[in-house]
Amino acid sequence: MIKVSVTMRLTHTKNLFFLLCLFGSLISLTKSQWTFPDDFKFGVATSAYQIEGGWDADGKGVSTWDRLTHNTPEMIQDKSNGDIACDSYHKWERDVEMVKETGVDYYRFSLSWTRIFPQGYINLVNQPGVDYYNNLINKLIENGIEPVITLYHWDLPQMFSPLGSWTSPVMVDLFGNYARKAFQLFGDRVKTWITFNEPKIVCQDFHDFLGNVTSPYPKGTIEYLCTHNLLKAHAEAYHIYDKEFRPTQNGRISITLNFEWAEPASQKPEDIEAAEQRRQFEFGLYANPIINFDYPQIVKDRIAERSKKEGYPNSRLPQFTLAEKLKLKGTYDFLGLNHYSTWYVEAVPDQPIGTPSYPADMGTERFQDLAWEESGAEWNKVVPWGLRHILQWIKKTYRNPVVLITECGYPDRSGTVEDEPRINFFKKYLNATLQAIYEDGANVQAFMAWSLMDNFEWQQGYQIKFGLYSVDFNDPDRPRTAKKSVAYLRNVVETRSID
Ligand code: PNW
């Protein structure tokens, strides 16, 4: 009897389980019916050096990327450069038309510092450069598109290289002055400002690209000096906006950080810890001083400990004074997020004390699953749940800030207009965004696709193509052609749903 009733109960439970599953899948069927909230906005993004060309047109000054690509072309895989790129310096009207065709709300682009201030310093203004951005901004607004401006997307005035570029504290005021001028010139019409695009890339990956190849600073210090000054420069620009411009211009300002999701390779406590350590080194290093207070504890502890063993009198990670911490805290009106892919992270024994380096400070190892769908760049595997995990983690770690996804996109190598894989990519990452909004309560308010068109992809030159539009780089006229993904995106914006 007892046995029977147990079996019955089991069958009951099974039935109940089955019903729950059925109900669950009904719910998940309706999931694809989710629509983006009314105040959710879509956008497309580019950056100055990657599209503008006109590298010395009408009085533009030399940037670190002009110098790098001209002097050491071998640092670019196809030895190309952005001298002409998409020629957006001349074809900006067509660019606006294209943004209009995608139907999106925002166009995110960056200012070329040396197009406006050829020598970096603000005493000398290049009027044709100012006119260029005024024309672009006005045309966008005429077409109902909101400009989103990044002040610094990697092309520093070459003039600042001998000063040590971001490794020098003089950059804080130089950037502040530049930002103030930009707010004065364009802030009557531009309501969303981003100080820096991806400090991690600026300071960790591109330290040789700071235009500063002969920097006297050894690795393992240069990255943290750069981070330190860059964060202070961000706070400087934020407060200039806040005090001098916000009262009349009423916009918002923040920073854009890149985040490749770090998923524990297993459920072993050491891997869970390793993944969190990696997130703190890769993202918390920049986000924590701005949102919470100071660098993350684990980052401070590890760098201090290793520095001491290496014989340094102080940590290679500079310390903020209390006044600096207070000045940095809260300098975000939203959080700009660039996201591309995901990695598994596992705990490994720390590297022995030797040559200082950021990777050694960070520890841990990362790898990707070979089964994950590939794209035209080996690092860019399609892992939509990684975006959802990021949004959950940001919500939990930083008290659910407003997040604007300022970049997300899919590269191929062919540049074909029949770009179904890109459409599938957007569908999946937009779905992850919807899940984060509706199931996790994340405060995501925008999704901007990288990129409006194929462009100069930094070290990879023109080999990988992220565009919604293809560009014929062999034709001096640089004609643009819509890929299939344009129609898809327009449909998402119109129907506010991903199907
Ligand atoms: C972005 N990662 O950087 C840049 O902001 C764009 O200028 C660039 O064109 C775009 O990616 C595509 O490469 C990235 O860690 C930063 O995988 C980090 C990663 C990828 C891209």
Side-chain angles (χ1 to χ4, degrees), residues 46-47 50 108 153-154 197-198 200-201 205-206 256-260 282 338-343 366 368 377 379-380 406-411 450-451 455-460 464 466:
T46 60
S47 90
Q50 294 179 275
R108 174 182 176 232
H153 200 125
W154 307 354
N197 182 66
E198 304 184 343
K200 173 173 187 288
I201 306 295
D205 297 359
F206 277 1
T256 277
L257 306 179
N258 59 301
F259 200 165
E260 304 307 288
E282 293 194 332
N338 289 357
H339 173 66
Y340 288 87
S341 198
T342 285
W343 298 78
R366 69 174 196 173
Q368 288 182 312
W379 47 268
N380 205 349
T406 41
E407 276 178 38
C408 185
Y410 176 92
W450 185 268
S451 175
N455 58 49
F456 176 77
E457 190 44 47
W458 309 112
Q459 299 110 303
Q460 298 184 78
I464 58 172
F466 278 90

Side-chain angles (χ1 to χ4, degrees), residues 84 117 147 223 289 291 307 418 453:
I84 304 175
F117 306 106
E223 299 90 336
I291 303 180
S307 303
E418 308 284 325
M453 62 193 130

